[in-house]
Amino acid sequence: MVLGALESEVMGVLWQAPGALTVREVLDALNEGRSEELAYTTVMTVLTRLTTKGVLSRSRRGRGFAYTPLAEDEAGAAVQEVLNRYGDAAVAHFLHASAASPTAKERLRRLLEDG
């Protein structure tokens, strides 16, 4: 998954947060030190789109929502998107491709043993 510039900024704030954040909390973090502040509705739209894309989950907090990343970083979000879209076929292709590289194959074996 390729994130746009503002989507990346929003995700950066959420990935650094210790827990779920509201639109206002994300907005305040993004506007810190910014010469031209972003609008509340802009951040709300980005968070809604990221939720629709399956990158975030949201839960009720008061009259609004709090948002939590579903992956630890952008690579994790990309993997999640591929798995959501292609399921077992993506896993099979990944395993086939990694089998061609002894280094990748050994790394995969260690990750599976540790996981």
Side-chain angles (χ1 to χ4, degrees), residues 24-45:
R24 175 61 60 194
E25 291 167 330
V26 173
L27 176 68
D28 290 346
L30 290 170
N31 281 339
E32 210 171 280
R34 205 179 202 108
S35 58
E36 287 191 39
E37 292 189 349
L38 297 168
Y40 181 92
T41 54
T42 300
V43 174
M44 183 173 61
T45 299

Side-chain angles (χ1 to χ4, degrees), residues 94-112:
F94 179 78
L95 290 173
H96 179 72
S98 65
S101 165
T103 305
K105 190 174 182 179
E106 181 54 34
R107 175 81 172 124
L108 184 59
R109 185 183 325 280
R110 279 187 271 127
L111 287 170
L112 287 170

Side-chain angles (χ1 to χ4, degrees), residues 1 78-90:
M1 161 176 293
V79 169
Q80 190 60 50
E81 180 187 31
V82 169
L83 290 173
N84 289 343
R85 181 177 283 174
Y86 301 106
D88 290 347

Side-chain angles (χ1 to χ4, degrees), residues 16-70:
Q16 292 177 10
L21 297 179
T22 64
V23 176
R24 175 61 60 194
E25 291 167 330
V26 173
L27 176 68
D28 290 346
L30 290 170
N31 281 339
E32 210 171 280
R34 205 179 202 108
S35 58
E36 287 191 39
E37 292 189 349
L38 297 168
Y40 181 92
T41 54
T42 300
V43 174
M44 183 173 61
T45 299
V46 171
L47 289 166
T48 300
R49 286 183 181 159
L50 289 168
T51 301
T52 301
K53 289 180 178 182
V55 179
L56 299 175
S57 68
R58 70 181 185 183
S59 56
R60 273 273 174 215
R61 186 184 292 173
R63 292 185 287 153
F65 292 101
Y67 295 84
T68 306
L70 292 174

